[in-house]
Amino acid sequence: MGAGGRMSVPPSPKKSEFNSLKRVPYSKPPFTLSEIKKAIPPHCFQRSVLRSFSYLLYDFILASLFYYVATNYFHNLPQPLSYVAWPLYWAMQGWILTGVWVIAHECGHHAFSDYQWLDDTVGLILHSSLLVPYFSWKYSHRRHHSNTGSLERDEVFVPKKKSGLRWWAKHFNNPPGRFLSITIQLTLGWPLYLAFNVAGRPYDRFACHYDPYGPIFSDRERLQIYISDAGVLAVAYALYRLVLAKGVGWVISVYGVPLLVVNAFLVMITYLQHTHPSLPHYDSSEWDWMRGALSTVDRDYGILNKVFHNITDTHVAHHLFSTMPHYHAMAATKAIKPILGEYYQFDGMPVYKAIWREAKECLYVEPDEGDKDKGVFWFRNKL
């Protein structure tokens, strides 16, 4: 961010918001990836099987506790209290399962352990349990990390140019339209992306994360896409058996609604990491990996930062060193801030305000008028 990101004392909310809207530099950085890495304590790159599993075990204990309380005690509550208890369960279980999702994400980056087979086994089990095709997402997400900020090759939340906006965009550029767009994005955005590549990179033919022969994947990856599909189908069948045994209402209340919370936070976290008025995007004439990796922003989710294993407030470091385990990311972020300077971006605006602002301000990207660097694009909102 601006000066606020390099202060040891958190700035006031007003100053933080002002600095966070200052454009980050888009010129070639005066530092190299090697110099950034040297600033990080060496232990931050060490992965521990025991420590990684300890976070997973902690999440499982909390999720099991919430499940036990909900299924054994909620039915005894008087009706007014049950109307409060179930939403609390949905929110808290959804938060914890978002943390489980993040650990599966670590596995996809080979950040869980030193053993690829272990990372893939754990990641496949965890993501399948949340109806995510593990290998499919792993490969498309890897390409996102390889092409962040590129208008042609990035994989997800690729902003449109003004000329690429659909005819209905102007009809949604108002408070009711933004509310509807955000609601659809948070509830349906994740399954629509997996199934139909909505908000993803354009391909020359239909792209789907469940299609082993789709354009997203290479020939050597296709077998693992079948494995991902099998994992999701196995969990879907288990849910079907649960519906027969417990009923649709029970499955929706215990599993379905928390999963919707997971999906909503996943979309919101990713959207806010890569959508911000201060961040540039690049076409092929200007893009390079370093500037693309720096075109991300750290956010503050309060206590949920810890629940989400700090994927929210250490995303810049994660894009620079994606195999670094999450439990070292805070130390790494602190270490790289002095090196990155104004290339580091943090926005402390409450996320419920931030998602509304970004939906209002970040409709499409265009270069600055008269700017000789026509390959550098910034968010606009004037239709």
Side-chain angles (χ1 to χ4, degrees):
M1 68 178 188
R6 301 187 300 278
M7 296 172 64
S8 58
V9 178
S12 67
K14 183 176 180 180
K15 186 170 184 179
S16 173
E17 181 178 345
F18 173 79
N19 285 341
S20 72
L21 293 178
K22 178 182 177 182
R23 287 181 174 181
V24 299
Y26 60 86
S27 57
K28 186 176 177 63
F31 45 78
T32 65
L33 187 65
S34 176
E35 289 170 338
I36 300 173
K37 188 173 183 178
K38 287 178 181 176
I40 300 174
H43 78 271
C44 290
F45 297 96
Q46 296 173 1
R47 297 165 291 203
S48 166
V49 172
L50 290 178
R51 189 166 183 183
S52 293
F53 268 115
S54 72
Y55 286 94
L56 183 57
L57 179 62
Y58 179 77
D59 285 347
F60 278 172
I61 290 173
L62 286 180
S64 299
L65 178 63
F66 294 156
Y67 166 81
Y68 178 81
V69 171
T71 56
N72 285 276
Y73 295 101
F74 282 9
H75 66 277
N76 293 323
L77 294 174
Q79 270 201 342
L81 287 180
S82 67
Y83 292 146
V84 175
W86 276 110
L88 282 175
Y89 166 79
W90 295 332
M92 296 174 69
Q93 189 73 296
W95 296 339
I96 296 301
L97 294 180
T98 301
V100 173
W101 201 107
V102 171
I103 292 177
H105 160 267
E106 293 260 300
C107 294
H109 280 294
H110 194 21
F112 187 81
S113 76
D114 292 333
Y115 309 101
Q116 186 67 67
W117 67 268
L118 180 61
D119 287 18
D120 285 341
T121 301
V122 173
L124 178 64
I125 294 170
L126 297 182
H127 262 169
S128 296
S129 70
L130 298 171
L131 298 180
V132 178
Y134 169 73
F135 287 109
S136 308
W137 175 84
K138 171 184 172 179
Y139 292 134
S140 67
H141 189 65
R142 181 176 64 189
R143 293 186 182 95
H144 158 64
H145 271 258
S146 298
N147 299 284
T148 306
S150 168
L151 290 176
E152 291 93 354
R153 298 187 305 275
D154 202 351
E155 284 288 340
V156 67
F157 285 121
V158 184
K160 295 183 182 297
K161 298 177 183 179
K162 188 175 185 179
S163 59
L165 291 178
R166 300 296 182 92
W167 62 267
W168 61 74
K170 62 182 180 181
H171 300 294
F172 282 81
N173 190 27
N174 51 65
R178 280 191 287 275
F179 178 81
L180 180 60
S181 296
I182 292 170
T183 301
I184 293 172
Q185 184 178 15
L186 296 184
T187 54
L188 299 176
W190 178 238
L192 287 175
Y193 169 66
L194 292 178
F196 302 106
N197 197 41
V198 173
R201 166 188 170 181
Y203 285 93
D204 57 3
R205 58 191 178 91
F206 178 70
C208 170
H209 277 73
Y210 303 102
D211 180 8
Y213 294 94
I216 300 175
F217 311 112
S218 65
D219 289 339
R220 65 181 181 83
E221 295 166 347
R222 304 200 193 283
L223 176 60
Q224 291 178 309
I225 309 309
Y226 279 113
I227 296 173
S228 297
D229 291 348
V232 172
L233 286 173
V235 174
Y237 179 74
L239 291 171
Y240 166 72
R241 299 296 298 183
L242 270 176
V243 167
L244 295 180
K246 298 284 191 177
V248 174
W250 189 93
V251 173
I252 290 175
S253 296
V254 172
Y255 175 84
V257 180
L259 184 64
L260 289 177
V261 174
V262 173
N263 293 348
F265 270 99
L266 166 64
V267 171
M268 180 167 64
I269 289 168
T270 309
Y271 174 75
L272 290 179
Q273 286 167 341
H274 296 282
T275 307
H276 193 277
S278 72
L279 297 180
H281 284 75
Y282 305 93
D283 68 14
S284 57
S285 69
E286 283 285 338
W287 182 88
D288 62 63
W289 182 87
M290 176 69 85
R291 285 190 290 173
L294 293 173
S295 296
T296 60
V297 57
D298 287 348
R299 303 275 189 172
D300 185 8
Y301 285 66
I303 192 174
L304 293 181
N305 288 329
K306 291 298 182 184
V307 178
F308 299 159
H309 304 302
N310 295 106
I311 196 176
T312 46
D313 54 347
T314 63
H315 191 67
V316 176
H318 170 66
H319 260 271
L320 293 170
F321 305 102
S322 59
T323 59
M324 179 188 299
H326 66 86
Y327 40 82
H328 294 316
M330 288 296 291
T333 296
K334 183 178 180 181
I336 66 176
K337 283 183 184 179
I339 304 295
L340 300 185
E342 291 188 350
Y343 285 84
Y344 173 77
Q345 179 67 307
F346 172 85
D347 192 334
M349 174 180 278
V351 291
Y352 69 91
K353 291 184 178 180
I355 195 170
W356 184 263
R357 182 190 67 191
E358 293 2 344
K360 179 182 179 181
E361 301 292 335
C362 304
L363 299 183
Y364 62 91
V365 291
E366 289 287 302
D368 285 339
E369 284 189 32
D371 194 337
K372 67 180 187 301
D373 298 307
K374 291 296 185 181
V376 182
F377 291 71
W378 303 95
F379 280 110
R380 316 279 186 189
N381 70 342
K382 302 300 182 185
L383 294 178

